[in-house]
C-alpha cells in the first residue's frame, strides 16, 4: 500500500514460489475426508487470489499477473515486469511466501516464515537505484557467491553478486543513480 500511495496506480506482478499452498492443501484434505469443497473457501485458493483481492480493494483497473516461480525463485517477477515496462512507466512487483504445509516439507525446502516484499520497478534511466540483471544457463562450473539470494545481499548493502538456481545463474549489480 505504501508503494501505491507514493507512486499511484500501476500494473502489478504478484509472485510466490508455491502460491496459496495452505489454502489448497486444506481444500484437498477436506475433499479427501468429506468429498466436497466449499465454493467460498475455494475463492482464496486460486493462484491469483492475492492479486485479485489487491485489485478489488484498491479499485484498480490496471492489469496484474500472478506467477509461481518454483526453483527460479525471486528473479521470475523481474522478467515479467520487464515486459510490462515496455508499455507502462512503472510496475508494482510483490513477492510473498508462507511456509508449506507440513505434509509437503519432505518434497521441497520450507520457506520457514511468512513474508512479503513490494517494489516499484521503473524503466531504465530513471533516477534512483538501478538493478542490472544477467541470466545464463546453469552449468556445473557456475560459481555462486550469493547462496542466500539477492534480497538478503541487498539488505546487507552488497552491490553485486550471483545466485545459482535450478536452471540458471543470475548475476546482478546494483548502482545508485
Amino acid at each position: 500500500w505504501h508503494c501505491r500511495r507514493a507512486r499511484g496506480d500501476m500494473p502489478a506482478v504478484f509472485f510466490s514460489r508455491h502460491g496459496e499452498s495452505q489454502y489448497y492443501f486444506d481444500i484437498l484434505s477436506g475433499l479427501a475426508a468429506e468429498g466436497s469443497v466449499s465454493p467460498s473457501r475455494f475463492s482464496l485458493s486460486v493462484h491469483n487470489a492475492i492479486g485479485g483481492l489487491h485489485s478489488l480493494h484498491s479499485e484498480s483497473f490496471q492489469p496484474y499477473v500472478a506467477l509461481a516461480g518454483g526453483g527460479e525463485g525471486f528473479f521470475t517477477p523481474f522478467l515479467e515486469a520487464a515486459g510490462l515496462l515496455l508499455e507502462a512507466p512503472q510496475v508494482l512487483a510483490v513477492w510473498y511466501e508462507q511456509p508449506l504445509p507440513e505434509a509437503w516439507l519432505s518434497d521441497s525446502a520450507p520457506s520457514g516464515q511468512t513474508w512479503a516484499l513490494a517494489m516499484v520497478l521503473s524503466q531504465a534511466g530513471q533516477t534512483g537505484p538501478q538493478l542490472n540483471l544477467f541470466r545464463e544457463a546453469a552449468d556445473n562450473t557456475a560459481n555462486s557467491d550469493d547462496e542466500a539470494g539477492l534480497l538478503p545481499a541487498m539488505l546487507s548493502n552488497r552491490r553485486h553478486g550471483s545466485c545459482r538456481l535450478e536452471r540458471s545463474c543470475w548475476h546482478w549489480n546494483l548502482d545508485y543513480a
Side-chain angles (χ1 to χ4, degrees):
W1 294 118
H2 174 73
C3 292
R4 287 182 43 82
R5 277 193 301 273
R7 303 292 292 272
D9 198 10
M10 65 193 88
V13 177
F14 292 87
F15 172 80
S16 172
R17 280 187 59 209
H18 302 288
E20 306 307 317
S21 57
Q22 189 61 52
Y23 284 114
Y24 59 77
F25 183 78
D26 289 347
I27 288 173
L28 290 173
S29 297
L31 183 61
E34 301 164 15
S36 63
V37 174
S38 163
S40 61
R41 184 78 170 141
F42 177 77
S43 68
L44 290 177
S45 72
V46 295
H47 186 65
N48 65 343
I50 298 297
L53 290 172
H54 173 267
S55 179
L56 289 170
H57 185 71
S58 64
E59 299 178 350
S60 174
F61 292 100
Q62 294 290 327
Y64 72 89
V65 178
L67 303 171
E72 287 301 296
F74 191 81
F75 295 95
T76 306
F78 289 111
L79 295 173
E80 190 67 31
L84 290 171
L85 286 169
L86 294 173
E87 296 182 5
Q90 58 188 11
V91 172
L92 176 66
V94 180
W95 291 261
Y96 59 97
E97 200 62 64
Q98 64 182 347
L100 287 171
E102 273 192 52
W104 290 340
L105 290 181
S106 62
D107 295 330
S108 179
S111 62
Q113 57 186 313
T114 299
W115 61 272
L117 168 71
M119 290 182 190
V120 175
L121 305 173
S122 57
Q123 296 172 348
Q126 304 292 320
T127 58
Q130 301 289 313
L131 178 63
N132 300 298
L133 297 171
F134 173 73
R135 181 186 184 272
E136 64 182 349
D139 62 22
N140 292 335
T141 62
N143 182 24
S144 175
D145 62 353
D146 183 13
E147 295 295 330
L150 173 65
L151 182 58
M154 290 171 63
L155 291 174
S156 65
N157 293 319
R158 288 195 41 210
R159 300 248 186 170
H160 59 86
S162 60
C163 185
R164 182 173 165 70
L165 302 171
E166 287 179 7
R167 292 175 285 191
S168 62
C169 184
W170 285 88
H171 304 281
W172 60 273
N173 183 31
L174 181 63
D175 292 319
Y176 291 90

